[in-house]
Amino acid sequence: MMDPIIIAEGLGKKYKLGARSARNASLRDAIAGAASRLTRAVLRRAPIRSNPSGVAHSTASADSISKTDFWALRNVSFDIAPGDVVGIIGRNGAGKSTLLKILSRITRPTEGRARVRGSLASLLEVGTGFHGDLTGRENIFLNGSILGMSRRDIVARFDEIVAFADVAAFLDTPVKRYSSGMYVRLAFAVAAHLEPDILVIDEVLAVGDAEFQKKSLGKMREVGQDGRTVIFVSHNMNAIEQLCRSAILLDHGGIVRQGDDVRGIINQYLWNHNSELAVSEWTNNAKQLSNPWFTPTRFWIGDRDGSPSEMPLANNDDMWVHIEGTAEQLDDALTVGYALFDELGALMFWSYQTDRGQADRPMLRAGHNHLCAPIPRRLLNEGDYRVELIGSLHFREWLFEPAVSAPAIHLRIKGGLSDSPFWMIKRPGLLAPVIKWESA
């Protein structure tokens, strides 16, 4: 049996909320800190004075602000074998990105240690590993050199990298002028084609378009088949299941489960009965997801009149998704709706209040809003589904993004599939529509 290529032993990472690390501070941070200290020194000698409006300003030192310890990771241990393809999953804030930064030597652990054998290339966020003032061509050679490759080896793969990234026309342009999509395409192409022993990829691939994501997933599959090690973080459970031979589930900075039962780990992540995903109603008690355009207050599955439904439901039952929330600023680009995912996280469809023409859709108004929309009858097969509240300013920004930051509720379908005696049980396939046939 081969020795592990990565060994994590009791990893922990602690941050002080409200504090900036002096170790990672830039020159700009140092100058700003010196100015801040000078200002505080002056204020300590000055009495409280009123401004012209008559409102007194406190001269309390910023040093008096309490700082709280926050453990992003705690007691994380695992081994990764050479050639393994590992998926790391968990909700936002679980510690995934912190773990990758430690493995990539971007940050040091507070406790424990991580041992990595061989060269490692990481793509953790837009801009990782590139110098903005250098051209695309120069950054390819710079990254190759960092990975320990000779100039001859980089030249041998250069054309393949450029073709994969589709940036030939901008090769001699400083990458700071690239769009985020171009940046990621080139960064991924470099990381994947320069043959590191370990390839670390975060959710950054979501920046690319659908065609590039498909191409990138194919390349990662190829890298894994070549015997190199891949660590992949994604909210796309289909991609995790297709690519990965093992998985690690993180929650609140610790490992919940790990092993080669990838589907079982995914199901535990999606359908943990102790999580909010196991309920069919969500309320914004903690006042999260607040924004000026639409702040949701309640999200549930019920009948047409709004009475909450009990699970499971038959697929021919009356199923309506209800969304309540308040709008402070009105915007013609505001879209609110729901997305429906299957038990493995594959998107089935989504629907917004803007699906129909302007004369045939509800108009959002300032203040309280209650929107509702049906889930079509006799469409879904038996099984578990995740319904997420989604909202955006169309083509501008997500307010709550599906599979990333959107509140989720649980829908379970059992029965009601057909009146036909041939199809009274779960049917093959993802959907189970009842279609009327005719003789031609």
Side-chain angles (χ1 to χ4, degrees):
M1 183 176 179
M2 290 185 292
D3 292 335
I5 195 168
I6 296 176
I7 300 175
E9 299 174 325
L11 285 181
K13 182 63 180 179
K14 179 174 70 174
Y15 294 99
K16 281 194 177 296
L17 300 183
R20 175 181 286 115
S21 170
R23 182 189 305 275
N24 297 319
S26 65
L27 176 61
R28 180 183 62 186
D29 295 330
I31 295 172
S36 177
R37 288 191 295 273
L38 177 61
T39 301
R40 291 199 298 269
V42 171
L43 289 175
R44 287 192 193 103
R45 298 185 179 93
I48 295 177
R49 296 181 179 178
S50 298
N51 67 8
S53 65
V55 179
H57 293 284
S58 171
T59 59
S61 167
D63 291 335
S64 66
I65 299 173
S66 62
K67 296 179 175 61
T68 305
D69 289 346
F70 169 71
W71 285 91
L73 285 178
R74 198 76 190 267
N75 196 29
V76 170
S77 300
F78 58 85
D79 296 345
I80 296 178
D84 199 0
V85 181
V86 183
I88 300 179
I89 61 177
R91 298 187 69 79
N92 287 341
K96 304 184 300 295
S97 295
T98 301
L99 175 58
L100 296 192
K101 287 177 181 178
I102 291 175
L103 296 180
S104 302
R105 301 292 192 261
I106 293 172
T107 188
R108 292 182 178 179
T110 306
E111 60 184 23
R113 63 175 181 168
R115 289 183 286 171
V116 178
R117 296 191 296 113
S119 60
L120 182 148
S122 59
L123 186 57
L124 306 185
E125 58 187 32
V126 177
T128 298
F130 275 13
H131 192 296
D133 291 324
L134 299 182
T135 66
R137 184 189 305 276
E138 291 165 339
N139 271 296
I140 292 174
F141 281 93
L142 174 63
N143 271 254
S145 299
I146 291 172
L147 289 172
M149 297 185 64
S150 68
R151 181 177 178 84
R152 178 180 297 176
D153 289 337
I154 299 171
V155 170
R157 295 173 177 82
F158 186 86
D159 291 343
E160 187 179 357
I161 292 171
V162 174
F164 188 95
D166 192 23
V167 293
F170 307 95
L171 203 53
D172 295 308
T173 300
V175 297
K176 66 183 179 183
R177 298 196 177 98
Y178 285 16
S179 68
S180 59
M182 291 166 58
Y183 212 122
V184 168
R185 290 204 306 271
L186 183 58
F188 178 82
V190 170
H193 286 80
L194 293 184
E195 298 189 354
D197 299 309
I198 305 166
L199 179 61
V200 177
I201 303 291
D202 203 347
E203 190 68 65
V204 67
L205 290 183
V207 176
D209 57 31
E211 184 62 29
F212 177 70
Q213 290 181 40
K214 180 179 178 181
K215 187 163 63 169
S216 299
L217 292 174
K219 184 62 180 178
M220 279 192 283
R221 185 180 293 110
E222 179 185 315
V223 168
Q225 291 170 348
D226 287 346
R228 285 179 281 159
T229 305
V230 179
I231 301 176
F232 180 45
V233 167
S234 179
H235 288 284
N236 185 332
M237 294 301 106
N238 265 349
I240 292 287
E241 186 178 25
Q242 290 176 25
L243 287 175
C244 301
R245 304 186 193 111
S246 61
I248 297 173
L249 172 59
L250 292 177
D251 187 43
H252 291 94
I255 293 180
V256 176
R257 183 176 173 184
Q258 59 181 311
D260 56 8
D261 181 12
V262 177
R263 174 168 287 196
I265 293 172
I266 288 173
N267 284 338
Q268 181 170 344
Y269 165 57
L270 293 175
W271 305 112
N272 187 333
H273 293 294
N274 293 321
S275 78
E276 66 270 29
L277 298 180
V279 299
S280 56
E281 182 173 347
W282 173 88
T283 54
N284 196 5
N285 294 326
K287 306 301 181 186
Q288 68 260 46
L289 301 180
S290 178
N291 65 80
W293 295 279
F294 188 85
T295 298
T297 54
R298 188 181 175 208
F299 171 49
W300 75 101
I301 295 174
D303 61 19
R304 175 65 182 84
D305 296 328
S307 298
S309 299
E310 293 186 7
M311 299 295 149
L313 292 170
N315 87 335
N316 62 335
D317 280 342
D318 193 24
M319 288 180 283
W320 288 72
V321 176
H322 291 263
I323 302 168
E324 287 187 344
T326 57
E328 296 179 20
Q329 284 181 221
L330 296 181
D331 193 305
D332 290 339
L334 178 61
T335 56
V336 178
Y338 72 87
L340 190 139
F341 298 81
D342 73 2
E343 61 185 11
L344 293 179
L347 176 64
M348 309 293 289
F349 66 88
W350 66 28
S351 176
Y352 284 115
Q353 101 281 4
T354 53
D355 279 0
R356 291 180 176 269
Q358 189 166 357
D360 193 25
R361 66 176 184 237
M363 301 302 294
L364 292 171
R365 55 184 179 271
H368 179 265
N369 290 270
H370 182 172
L371 301 171
C372 59
I375 296 176
R377 294 188 184 194
R378 287 199 157 147
L379 172 67
L380 302 179
N381 213 338
E382 287 190 347
D384 288 296
Y385 299 87
R386 191 171 84 254
V387 187
E388 293 193 355
L389 169 63
I390 55 175
S392 69
L393 298 179
H394 192 56
F395 281 127
R396 282 160 51 190
E397 65 175 286
W398 284 108
L399 304 181
F400 4 97
E401 184 176 359
V404 177
S405 61
I409 53 179
H410 179 205
L411 170 64
R412 173 164 288 167
I413 300 294
K414 182 71 175 176
L417 297 172
S418 176
D419 297 325
S420 167
F422 288 92
W423 297 112
M424 301 300 291
I425 59 174
K426 183 174 181 177
R427 302 173 69 164
L430 296 176
L431 302 176
V434 175
I435 298 172
K436 183 179 179 180
W437 285 67
E438 298 180 357
S439 296

